[in-house]
Structure formats: structure tokens, C-alpha cells
Amino acid sequence: MPLVIFVDDSETALASTRMVTNSMPIEVKQYTEATVALSEIQAGMIPDLIITDLNMPVMNGFEFLEALRKVPSTTRTPCLMLTTETKAELKQKGKALGLTGWIVKPFNPAQLKQAITRVLRLA
């Protein structure tokens, strides 16, 4: 079963993503701190998809993505940004860092499910 990790400092956002993913054939781990998720990845966890917020304390989504790209097991792991930000320059920066896609909060549950399904090629 594919492993999807969600990193968002908002418990409300994480609860919303749980409602979407509960019926999907995936394993989900959620983190409120990017540093904790990064530590687990550096220790050997290999996610199939990473979904992160941009605006978080301590380590923002771009910093997290940059750090992920330095870990051999996640240099090419698909990453989606799930954020309230819509500025074109931020999307360009994300793309330059290897971001797979951008989903704007508040998100439509079907949109998030479709993005996960597409990236993981779920039937």
C-alpha cells in the first residue's frame, strides 16, 4: 500500500485530509512539524507521496522540500503543496524545487483525492 505523508501545522487541515483519504487504498502518516517528518525520512521512512503546507513555523514547505531533495530516497518523490498561497512566483519557486503540484486551501475534497490518485496512479 502506498505511503502518503501530510505535513501541516494545522490540526484542522490534517483532519480535513483524513476525511478525504480514509476511503483510499493508501497508508497515511500526518505530521504537524516538518522537522519531525524530515527526521523520520532521514531515518529510513520512504514515502510514495509527500503533501505539505507552505506556511509553517520552524521549517516552511519550501525549506522542507529543499531538505527532502538532499535525502537520497526522496530526491524524486512526488510532492504536492497544499496551501492558501496563490502567487505565481511561489508556484514557480515550487516548480524549480521539484514540486509536483499545487492545491489551494480550502480545497475541494474531490480535487485532493483526484490529485493523490493521479500521482500514485491508483485504480
Side-chain angles (χ1 to χ4, degrees):
M1 199 174 307
L3 173 60
V4 177
I5 68 165
F6 284 90
V7 182
D8 197 314
D9 62 314
S10 165
E11 291 286 351
T12 303
L14 292 176
S16 296
T17 61
R18 270 193 304 274
M19 291 187 330
V20 172
T21 60
N22 277 344
S23 64
M24 297 182 76
I26 59 175
E27 179 184 352
V28 174
K29 290 191 177 191
Q30 296 184 318
Y31 300 88
T32 55
E33 295 179 33
T35 54
V36 175
L38 180 61
S39 292
E40 290 197 19
I41 290 167
Q42 290 170 328
M45 179 179 66
I46 303 174
D48 297 289
L49 172 61
I50 299 163
I51 302 174
T52 185
D53 185 21
L54 178 56
N55 298 311
M56 297 181 289
V58 184
M59 177 180 270
N60 70 41
F62 287 151
E63 293 165 335
F64 180 52
L65 184 55
E66 286 177 308
L68 288 170
R69 295 310 185 216
K70 293 176 184 172
V71 178
S73 64
T74 55
T75 57
R76 298 176 100 41
T77 301
C79 271
L80 299 173
M81 191 69 69
L82 186 60
T83 182
T84 58
E85 298 288 345
T86 59
K87 296 177 186 161
E89 60 269 16
L90 292 175
K91 291 180 181 182
Q92 290 172 344
K93 181 177 181 178
K95 187 174 181 178
L97 292 171
L99 196 60
T100 307
W102 198 276
I103 301 170
V104 178
K105 293 179 191 175
F107 60 88
N108 175 320
Q111 178 188 20
L112 179 60
K113 188 172 186 174
Q114 180 182 24
I116 294 169
T117 299
R118 179 180 39 83
V119 170
L120 295 177
R121 294 178 175 92
L122 300 174

